[in-house]
Amino acid sequence: MQLFNFVKNIFLKSFFFSLFAIISLNSYAEINNKICLILDKGGKDDKSFNQSAYEGFLKAQSDFKITKDSKYVTVKEDSQSPHFIRTLSNGDCGLIIAVGFNNADIVGKMAQKFPKQRYVLVDSSIKETNIRSLSFQEHEGSFLIGAIAAIKSKTAKIGFIGGMEIPLIKRFALGFESGAKYINPKIKITETYVGVSPAAWNNPTKAKELALSMYNQESDIIFVAAGASSQGVFDAVSDMNKKNNKAETKKFVIGVDSNQNYLIPGTVLTSMEKKVNSKIYSAVKDFIENKFTTGVITCGFADDGVDWAYDTYNKQLFSNEDIKKINKIKQDIISKKINVPDYYKVGK
Amino acid sequence: MDWINLAFSIGGATIRMSAPLIFAALGGLFSERSGIINIALEGKMLAGAFAAAAVTTLTQNPILGLIAGGFAGMLMAIVYGIFVINFKANQIVVGTAITILASGTVPFVSQILFQNTGSTPEIPIGNRFIYTPIIIAWLLVISIWCLFKFSPYGMWHKFAGEHPDALQTSGIDVIRTRWSGVLVSGFLAGLGGATLSICLSSSYTRNMTAGRGYMALAALIVGGWKPITAALACLAFGFFDALGITLQGIQIPKPEFSIQFLNQIWSFFVSAQFIQIIPYILTITIVAGFVGKSRPPKALGQPYLRNR
């Protein structure tokens, strides 16, 4: 009899406990403000868009009352990506932010399976009822950068160094090329890539050799979009400028993704900023304030998604006339007076 | 015409690109001649690259950095040696594990030291080597050739790889010889990594070796496990790399053939992508035995049991 009482006691206790647990779980689900960030292979310190995304995430985390459980994961190999996304989509995270076109594609396929889960995708134009896609207009920014390079080039030879040869980087290249040709139809543009495998993002030594070879063939401005390999191009430009101090043969480099003007003041001509951080910040803000909208959001010049960096570090490189020209082109792109070719649409 | 300029640019790039490969290939030579397969070169280079960049940043002295790079490679070699020599584990498996271990440990240490998993701070141009490691590499090639040719120490290494029992009977400890081979190999591979991070670029970045450890191993095989031919193979790899780099950037003169098909063939063979795969085609061809037989040391990969 005593044993029976004991079992009954345990049973009742556990019943009430589980009931309590269910209630508390439900109330927790209503205010779930856990944000999960999935980074692409570059990782949080790639000095590029992953880092930018991570910074936006950190800033949002400290500004809004987001639970400390919020976390980020880094995809090391493409095969890990579906696993991460499926695990995080089980309702634990309020909002999932996926960076990089590869992650974005997998989220696009997975989103129908988890209709209640909300996602933000960086570098994607996927339409789903529960996805906000941030589609950055890299070709617009690159067009302007190409135009600036053509304005400032003294040798009428400029170069482009991409990381891995993928459509996203080709989009940069095409925009850059058509921008330069818009200013000077006869300009010579050399287009090179570090490699065709993901190792190309982490090979600064080879990027440096590519840059040295270009500078030796009289290109004086190089636009680099090569992730961590970009460091090699920055090394190459300081090596070249160390050898000759003449102002008319000075070599320049143009950075990408985040503002890299500060790296070598006066030598980094400008940077094409892709404002992933502010767009992620505002997505989190909308989510916390319950104003989250879905759909494809284009982030071009008009919506302050891309821009050229002009600050104290490169101010002395541009005359008022240059600035006027550049702003004119920018306005023309916004008002669609200039038709910028998009590799995603014209390419292949 | 700027053909001379072009030749200089390719030549310079060849010598620079091949230097880390030469270090790593010489490292591989030491351990493979003494009978230990060294597939862990990649991991040792990575450790060396990081340690060199970190020490140079902290002490502002590239010579200390270079030495630290060597010792970091040696540290990885100690772990490797304990498993493959003393515990007689499978050398391929442990070698692969060491490479993965390095690619995981290095970002971890980097996070502790610099709060950044991706790269170390940039080293100013005055604290970098311009060409010193490249000269060291070629001096090492000659001295290691002499070592293997003339000194008993080199002979012991050869026998540890070819016929360890004979070495043991003549009174030289095989285990000890193999240990020294593995340690020197780690040090040299570490120097190769250091060349990458403090001479050819200005900081350590994640996985910056980008497969050079395996390329060095391939050069070693192409060179038939001999120092001078292995170094020449590295130089050839560097040359094709440099050629690929330069060809991407210039307009190649295109002869007009009357037959359309020949035009296509021409543009295929001078494309940068094709030039870049030449080293690998070369390796496969040579290793497959079409060009010349490349014979590995006889006892390569076999753990030595003293009381057989």
Side-chain angles (χ1 to χ4, degrees), chain B residues 2-299:
Chain B
D2 49 10
W3 283 108
I4 300 166
N5 203 349
L6 197 68
F8 265 105
S9 136
I10 293 182
T14 304
I15 290 170
R16 285 193 296 269
M17 301 285 275
S18 57
L21 291 182
I22 290 173
F23 275 117
L26 290 177
L29 180 89
F30 255 94
S31 87
E32 300 230 330
R33 275 325 272 273
S34 62
I36 306 289
I37 297 176
N38 208 337
I39 212 162
L41 280 178
E42 180 88 2
K44 292 168 185 168
M45 282 178 89
L46 205 58
F50 170 72
V55 170
T56 311
T57 306
L58 297 175
T59 62
Q60 303 295 320
N61 187 343
I63 296 168
L64 282 182
L66 193 67
I67 294 167
F71 277 104
M74 207 184 233
L75 196 70
M76 298 311 275
I78 290 174
V79 180
Y80 184 58
I82 288 172
F83 279 97
V84 300
I85 300 176
N86 291 19
F87 298 158
K88 301 174 179 60
N90 184 308
Q91 296 170 3
I92 305 266
V93 174
V94 179
T96 313
I98 291 284
T99 301
I100 299 172
L101 180 73
S103 69
T105 316
V106 166
F108 178 67
V109 180
S110 174
Q111 173 71 32
I112 294 170
L113 287 178
F114 304 108
Q115 287 77 46
N116 189 333
T117 59
S119 62
T120 56
E122 198 190 332
I123 300 162
I125 206 162
N127 282 341
R128 272 184 246 155
F129 285 120
I130 310 295
Y131 51 79
T132 324
I134 299 170
I135 294 173
I136 295 178
W138 284 100
L139 288 179
L140 272 174
V141 171
I142 295 164
S143 49
I144 286 173
W145 178 77
C146 291
L147 192 78
F148 272 89
K149 190 93 180 163
F150 300 117
S151 80
Y153 179 75
M155 197 59 90
W156 299 343
H157 274 284
K158 278 193 214 164
F159 269 92
E162 294 289 345
H163 203 311
D165 286 332
L167 186 67
Q168 189 76 35
T169 3
S170 67
I172 308 295
D173 191 5
V174 173
I175 301 286
R176 202 173 286 173
T177 312
R178 286 192 167 179
W179 257 112
S180 87
V182 166
L183 290 183
V184 173
S185 135
F187 191 82
L188 291 176
L191 290 186
T195 312
L196 274 181
S197 66
I198 61 175
C199 172
L200 300 180
S201 62
S202 64
S203 63
Y204 157 83
T205 51
R206 215 162 60 96
N207 292 339
M208 74 182 302
T209 48
R212 284 185 180 84
Y214 301 111
M215 266 173 84
L217 208 58
L220 185 65
I221 294 169
V222 171
W225 285 271
K226 291 189 186 78
I228 292 185
T229 40
L232 291 179
C234 292
L235 207 59
F237 282 14
F239 173 71
F240 287 120
D241 231 3
L243 204 61
I245 284 168
T246 320
L247 281 187
Q248 275 200 60
I250 56 168
Q251 296 290 320
I252 301 148
K254 206 174 175 185
E256 279 301 321
F257 297 107
S258 51
I259 311 163
Q260 181 61 30
F261 182 64
L262 281 178
N263 277 331
Q264 279 174 5
I265 295 265
W266 172 260
S267 57
F268 172 75
F269 278 112
V270 298
S271 66
Q273 282 81 2
F274 182 77
I275 302 277
Q276 279 173 356
I277 58 172
I278 287 179
Y280 306 101
I281 293 180
L282 208 69
T283 312
I284 292 170
T285 322
I286 290 173
V287 172
F290 287 117
V291 175
K293 201 165 167 64
S294 174
R295 195 185 64 82
K298 218 174 223 165

Side-chain angles (χ1 to χ4, degrees), chain A residues 200-344:
Chain A
W201 301 118
N202 293 310
N203 201 343
T205 327
K206 191 164 176 196
K208 184 180 175 184
E209 292 297 342
L210 279 171
L212 285 177
S213 152
M214 270 187 200
Y215 285 132
N216 281 328
Q217 288 163 35
E218 291 177 355
S219 298
D220 60 347
I221 298 172
I222 293 179
F223 179 36
V224 53
S229 298
S230 302
Q231 182 60 44
V233 183
F234 286 90
D235 292 346
V237 78
S238 34
D239 278 10
M240 290 303 288
N241 285 337
K242 200 187 160 201
K243 277 184 207 154
N244 71 55
N245 295 317
K246 282 179 233 155
E248 57 266 27
T249 51
K250 193 176 177 191
K251 315 286 184 190
F252 294 96
V253 61
I254 299 175
V256 83
D257 285 349
S258 54
N259 186 346
Q260 296 174 322
N261 291 1
Y262 69 94
L263 286 176
I264 318 172
T267 298
V268 184
L269 189 61
T270 177
S271 306
M272 196 208 100
E273 280 184 90
K274 196 168 146 185
K275 297 187 173 165
V276 179
N277 50 359
S278 70
K279 291 293 170 186
I280 282 189
Y281 181 83
S282 59
V284 175
K285 191 177 172 211
D286 289 353
F287 176 74
I288 297 292
E289 289 170 356
N290 232 340
K291 287 186 225 155
F292 191 74
T293 53
T294 55
V296 179
I297 297 179
T298 53
C299 308
F301 277 126
D303 348 70
D304 202 26
V306 293
D307 209 345
W308 71 293
Y310 180 62
D311 57 18
T312 53
Y313 298 105
N314 62 350
K315 216 169 198 168
Q316 74 278 15
L317 299 173
F318 294 95
S319 65
N320 285 335
E321 211 172 302
D322 293 336
I323 301 287
K324 250 182 227 162
K325 264 192 212 167
I326 292 164
N327 282 335
K328 171 87 176 29
I329 296 167
K330 193 172 153 182
Q331 285 309 316
D332 285 353
I333 294 173
I334 292 172
S335 61
K336 311 248 168 184
K337 223 183 255 174
I338 295 175
N339 187 22
V340 181
D342 183 352
Y343 184 80
Y344 290 168

Side-chain angles (χ1 to χ4, degrees), chain A residues 32-182:
Chain A
N32 183 2
N33 58 5
K34 180 174 169 181
I35 314 285
C36 299
L37 176 69
I38 303 172
L39 294 177
D40 206 2
K41 286 180 280 291
K44 73 178 172 67
D45 296 312
D46 68 346
K47 290 186 186 163
S48 185
F49 64 98
N50 280 306
Q51 183 168 357
S52 183
Y54 183 68
E55 279 162 8
F57 170 71
L58 280 191
K59 185 157 184 277
Q61 212 171 359
S62 63
D63 284 7
F64 310 119
K65 284 176 187 162
I66 297 176
T67 165
K68 290 238 165 60
D69 295 338
S70 291
K71 63 179 172 191
Y72 73 94
V73 291
T74 308
V75 174
K76 297 267 186 212
E77 278 172 44
D78 287 348
S79 57
Q80 287 178 332
S81 173
H83 172 72
F84 276 145
I85 292 162
R86 191 174 290 131
T87 321
L88 293 176
S89 298
N90 63 1
D92 194 21
C93 302
L95 182 69
I96 294 178
I97 303 168
V99 179
F101 66 96
N102 183 50
N103 290 334
D105 279 355
I106 291 161
V107 168
K109 286 171 198 153
M110 209 79 88
Q112 290 162 339
K113 281 190 200 160
F114 304 97
K116 282 182 186 166
Q117 179 67 51
R118 280 181 279 191
Y119 301 93
V120 175
L121 304 187
V122 178
D123 278 350
S124 136
S125 48
I126 294 166
K127 277 181 204 155
E128 284 291 341
T129 49
N130 51 346
I131 294 180
R132 174 189 278 199
S133 290
L134 303 176
S135 162
F136 285 90
Q137 309 293 305
E138 290 96 358
H139 54 294
E140 288 184 5
S142 305
F143 186 94
L144 187 70
I145 293 297
I148 294 172
I151 292 170
K152 298 305 289 183
S153 174
K154 291 186 185 95
T155 56
K157 277 186 186 174
I158 54 176
F160 173 81
I161 294 180
M164 187 179 163
E165 203 167 342
I166 51 168
L168 175 67
I169 300 298
K170 288 262 189 191
R171 199 186 197 195
F172 280 98
L174 185 67
F176 182 69
E177 195 187 326
S178 40
K181 291 246 163 88
Y182 175 79

